[in-house]
Amino acid sequence: MPIPRLRVVKMAPPSGNIMIDNTKIFRKIINSITTLVLYILLLTLVVGMAKTVLDLRFTIFSSLDVGFNHMVSSVLTIFILIDLFNTFVDYHEHERIKLTYVTDATILIVMREIAVGMYAKEFESGFILALAALILVLGIVRVLAIRYSPEDLHDIVPPFMAGKQKEKEMEN
């Protein structure tokens, strides 16, 4: 009895073939979210700066100690917002977060808390030493992040970390 042969039939793709590229959808959604966060941070930065300028009256009309404490806190908060803004702009452009921006923002947050606590005289010496140790560790992390930056180690960086720059090179 002869063995029946299977006939392979090649089918043409349907005329309205739509392939969904999940990576492109994901990147568009992330791009939209980061754009929205950037606008929110920008608005917060503008409102915070206006509030800081308006709060100059505390320095002028109240005691210098209270006004100065308030101004230091407001200015450091603005610097924190600027660092967060830089982090999101860098992520939006390169699709990666630089550790230096995050450590800078964290150092500023700790410094702000130290400044506010010192002026209010509400910290104990042990707590201030712990925050100082935290700043030291964050400083070491920042130095190591700069020293061993992926931008300097091109051969070690995996292709998925290359971000939009790699995509643009592939498109050209």
Side-chain angles (χ1 to χ4, degrees), residues 13 16-22 24-25:
N17 188 13
I18 299 173
M19 297 270 310
I20 296 175
D21 187 2
N22 292 328
K24 284 184 181 179
I25 293 171

Side-chain angles (χ1 to χ4, degrees), residues 66-137:
V66 172
F68 188 71
N69 183 19
H70 197 272
M71 286 305 295
V72 168
S73 174
S74 296
V75 168
L76 287 174
T77 301
I78 298 252
F79 281 137
I80 292 167
L81 287 172
I82 289 170
D83 267 345
L84 290 175
F85 188 78
N86 283 338
T87 302
F88 272 94
V89 166
D90 190 59
Y91 181 81
H92 192 71
E93 290 177 0
H94 304 291
E95 290 185 349
R96 68 183 188 95
I97 296 174
K98 285 190 176 183
L99 189 57
T100 54
Y101 290 151
V102 175
T103 53
D104 287 347
T106 308
I107 288 170
L108 281 172
I109 290 169
V110 174
M111 286 175 58
R112 179 189 175 279
E113 292 304 312
I114 289 174
V116 169
M118 293 279 287
Y119 284 114
K121 296 178 175 69
E122 49 186 53
F123 288 153
E124 296 176 6
S125 59
F127 189 69
I128 293 173
L129 287 174
L131 290 177
L134 178 61
I135 288 178
L136 177 67
V137 169

